[in-house]
Structure formats: structure tokens, C-alpha cells
Amino acid sequence: MRLFQLALLCLFASLQYQLWFGHHGVKDYKKLQSAVIQHTKVNARLEKRNKLLKADVEDLKLGLEGIEERARNELGMIKQGETFFRVTHKNDRY
């Protein structure tokens, strides 16, 4: 009877070790869970960026207003007879 109890105790200890520290155990589960959370955050940020890019593409496809806005902001283009003022902060150096 003692030998049977000892065998069961050894089996139980072995299973517990595999559960907590073995391959595909709790340790690996926690590591994978944190990786999934991190990837979810990255995906959310990328989805937001993709929505903004898609809106820009749609705006450029629909009309000249988007092209004009982009030319003004990125290239500094001004219409003829128009006065352009650039407001900068004290710390900005141009």
C-alpha cells in the first residue's frame, strides 16, 4: 500500500512540474498571452493608421480639395494674390 501511495505521489509531482514548468505549461501560456496583448495593441495602432490612409486616398480620388490641401501643407504652395502667414513657436528653428 505504501509503494502505491509513493507511486501516486511521484506521478502527481511529475504532472505538476509539467503543468507549471514544462513545455506548453503555464509559463508558456503567460508568455503567449502577453505577446497576444502586445500584438493586439500594435494591430489597433496599425488599423487606425490604415483608416487615416484610406481616408486620404478617398479624399484624393474624390476631388481637387484634397490635392490642394496637401499641396498647401506639404509643399507650401500659395495661390496667386494670396498672403501666406506661417506661425511658429519660439523654440522652432527654421
Side-chain angles (χ1 to χ4, degrees):
M1 187 71 169
R2 279 271 188 221
L3 189 60
F4 182 69
Q5 289 175 344
L6 183 63
L8 284 178
L9 183 63
C10 289
L11 179 65
F12 179 73
S14 172
L15 290 174
Q16 285 296 313
Y17 180 80
Q18 287 179 359
L19 174 68
W20 292 102
F21 305 109
H23 189 61
H24 299 301
V26 174
K27 189 176 181 182
D28 286 343
Y29 172 75
K30 292 291 185 181
K31 194 184 317 179
L32 287 174
Q33 190 177 28
S34 67
V36 166
I37 291 170
Q38 190 176 26
H39 286 295
T40 303
K41 289 178 184 178
V42 169
N43 285 346
R45 185 174 40 87
L46 291 175
E47 281 180 13
K48 185 178 180 182
R49 187 195 66 168
N50 286 346
K51 285 181 184 178
L52 290 173
L53 290 173
K54 187 175 181 179
D56 280 347
V57 168
E58 291 298 321
D59 192 30
L60 290 172
K61 281 183 180 178
L62 290 178
L64 296 176
E65 291 174 2
I67 296 171
E68 181 181 341
E69 178 185 347
R70 212 166 206 156
R72 287 174 177 267
N73 289 335
E74 293 178 8
L75 302 175
M77 298 181 93
I78 308 166
K79 288 183 182 178
Q80 193 164 356
E82 195 174 53
T83 306
F84 178 73
F85 295 97
R86 181 176 295 222
V87 179
T88 60
H89 296 288
K90 231 178 189 180
N91 296 337
D92 292 347
R93 293 183 179 173
Y94 290 107

